[in-house]
Amino acid sequence: MLHFPDGFLWGAATAAHQIEGNNFNNDWWPREHAPGTTIVEPSGDACDSYHRFREDMTLLRDAGLDTYRFSIEWSRIEPEEGFVSRAGIDHYRRMVDTALELGITPMVTLMHFTVPRWFADRGMWRSPDAADRFARFTELALPVLGDDVKWVCTINEPNIAAMIAGGEDPANLVAYGLPDPDLKVADTLLECHRRSREVLSGVGGVRSGWTVATQAFQPEPGCEQAARDYGHQRDDWYLEAARGDDWVGVQAYTRTVIGPDGPRQVPEGVETTLTGWEYYPKALEEGVRSAWEKTGGVPVFVTENGMATADDARRIDYTRGALNGLHAAMADGVEVAGYLHWSLLDNYEWASGFRPTFGLIAVDRETFVRTPKPSLGWLGGVARANAVEEDLQP
């Protein structure tokens, strides 16, 4: 068995729009319902977790996991600019209270892709006062955090957010290649992150950071510089920007091979997931090592890692391999605070709809009945033992 250090956190992650249902006041809802949209289906009721969050947290806790990452929906807290919904704030504080009551460590994400319609209509991240508005939202969220939320993520995957803002159709985010990010938007997101951290710095024991979707860019022979150039604006820049933060989140799923003309398609015959990504558990180890190096030793938190598959046994295999790689990185001195699986539930995967199933728990699309999968029990067993069996697969 490969043992993890005492105090290592084990859990799962979700995002508000992907599980709550009926977030019709944010920028994604109209995109889902626009005529001719390439998004395969709307989110609708999603998993109805807005009403069923206690059940979801209880299933997580009963399996043996101790940490739950969830996001709060800006458009529920500030549905119109300057109008604050006390009910929205109270709802998310009840989620925090429920987690604490159940003995779960909450990690709260302030922005997981979605923003209020009014913010999108005013230019979103291109607005000259975007950072002021995001700092104000952080202030509005302080009652949710209280004095007992330790882990706060300001912005989820700013590198992906900058690619979406670059005009890319969101349906292509799970297809071949990655779009060019909007570099001005990236600068604004960094300013928003830093302003948000300034607000959070005055709050009790909050430790704040942002999460980066690490892509494990790998060069073909002779393409080392091309891989560095391609990867820097899509990955490394955001890790470097996290220097001095309390922690940095790594969200790793697969790798991207770079040839002389850019990213290569996954070769025929190679195992892929329901998102079309290569089955590559080692992506987690590579992402964690890269984050540790690029940030100059900022503590790492694995905030997402998982596999979209209908074969739950394969999910367990993937996660075992990923955790073996994570352990190897930690044995070499990389400081990692915890591991959060993506996702707790089979949820709404943006432009791909409900087809890609990442969850440790299945959700009936009609009744919302939750059915834990064997992978939930397996990961809970890993958490209880604080150890994973060694993967002897080649």
Side-chain angles (χ1 to χ4, degrees):
M1 297 290 284
L2 303 174
H3 292 270
F4 288 79
D6 291 344
F8 192 81
L9 299 175
W10 296 95
T14 60
H17 189 74
Q18 295 178 259
I19 64 168
E20 284 185 345
N22 299 305
N23 274 316
F24 52 81
N25 210 26
N26 69 30
D27 62 321
W28 265 87
W29 187 272
R31 189 180 292 184
E32 295 167 8
H33 293 270
T37 182
T38 54
I39 296 173
V40 300
E41 59 186 324
S43 56
D45 291 319
C47 302
D48 193 34
S49 287
Y50 191 81
H51 302 104
R52 302 168 193 259
F53 62 84
R54 174 178 283 272
E55 178 184 1
D56 296 337
M57 291 188 200
T58 300
L59 289 169
L60 179 148
R61 189 274 312 272
D62 289 351
L65 303 176
D66 58 32
T67 304
Y68 183 42
R69 176 187 175 217
F70 61 90
S71 73
I72 61 178
E73 180 65 30
W74 184 356
S75 67
R76 290 191 189 269
I77 290 176
E78 191 178 15
E80 293 293 342
E81 185 170 18
F83 176 83
V84 181
S85 170
R86 298 300 172 188
I89 291 172
D90 288 349
H91 169 81
Y92 290 115
R93 180 60 210 184
R94 283 194 298 275
M95 290 188 68
V96 170
D97 288 338
T98 299
L100 296 172
E101 175 193 332
L102 293 172
I104 295 169
T105 297
M107 175 185 281
V108 175
T109 299
L110 300 182
M111 200 283 289
H112 198 121
F113 291 143
T114 54
V115 300
R117 289 196 196 191
W118 63 261
F119 182 64
D121 291 343
R122 287 162 174 73
M124 203 165 166
W125 308 117
R126 294 187 181 87
S127 169
D129 52 2
D132 291 336
R133 287 168 170 153
F134 193 71
R136 184 184 65 207
F137 167 56
T138 304
E139 293 174 350
L140 295 178
L142 293 181
V144 175
L145 307 178
D147 59 2
D148 42 18
V149 172
K150 176 179 180 180
W151 302 97
V152 178
C153 167
T154 60
I155 298 173
N156 178 76
E157 295 186 346
N159 50 336
I160 302 299
M163 294 178 202
I164 295 174
E168 177 65 19
D169 188 318
N172 291 337
L173 290 180
V174 293
Y176 164 63
L178 292 168
D180 290 334
D182 186 312
L183 300 183
K184 290 184 178 179
V185 166
D187 287 337
T188 299
L189 289 168
L190 178 56
E191 183 183 3
C192 289
H193 168 66
R194 288 175 172 167
R195 290 283 302 280
S196 182
R197 276 184 34 82
E198 288 175 5
V199 174
L200 295 169
S201 67
V203 180
V206 163
R207 299 183 64 188
S208 61
W210 68 4
T211 68
V212 179
T214 58
Q215 307 295 314
F217 295 109
Q218 298 180 0
E220 291 184 340
C223 298
E224 289 76 13
Q225 187 59 50
R228 283 192 290 270
D229 293 344
Y230 187 86
H232 187 266
Q233 63 176 337
R234 292 170 173 82
D235 191 329
D236 294 349
W237 184 88
Y238 300 86
L239 295 173
E240 292 166 357
R243 293 180 179 180
D245 288 357
D246 297 324
W247 58 274
V248 62
V250 166
Q251 309 196 163
Y253 295 92
T254 190
R255 66 175 171 179
T256 303
V257 177
I258 305 297
D261 300 318
R264 296 294 199 190
Q265 294 190 46
V266 179
E268 288 189 19
V270 170
E271 181 179 359
T272 57
T273 70
L274 290 176
T275 53
W277 302 339
E278 180 182 354
Y279 177 96
Y280 190 69
K282 194 175 174 61
L284 181 59
E285 177 184 354
E286 295 179 16
V288 164
R289 289 183 184 275
S290 178
W292 180 254
E293 176 190 350
K294 299 297 191 305
T295 60
V298 168
V300 176
F301 207 126
V302 178
T303 42
E304 289 184 23
N305 172 250
M307 175 189 182
T309 179
D311 183 349
D312 197 56
R314 205 64 182 129
R315 176 176 290 106
I316 293 173
D317 292 339
Y318 176 94
T319 309
R320 181 187 297 112
L323 291 175
N324 272 242
L326 177 63
H327 187 276
M330 295 174 68
D332 286 342
V334 178
E335 182 182 346
V336 183
Y339 172 89
L340 305 181
H341 194 86
W342 183 270
S343 174
L344 180 62
L345 305 171
D346 284 342
N347 59 19
Y348 180 74
E349 282 295 331
W350 306 107
S352 300
F354 292 98
R355 178 177 171 271
T357 45
F358 281 92
L360 299 168
I361 301 170
V363 180
D364 187 283
R365 299 292 332 125
E366 298 294 326
T367 66
F368 307 109
V369 168
R370 272 75 166 139
T371 303
K373 302 177 186 179
S375 55
L376 177 64
W378 176 85
L379 186 59
V382 170
R384 290 181 193 275
N386 203 28
V388 65
E389 65 269 29
E390 191 168 357
D391 187 358
L392 301 178
Q393 303 273 337

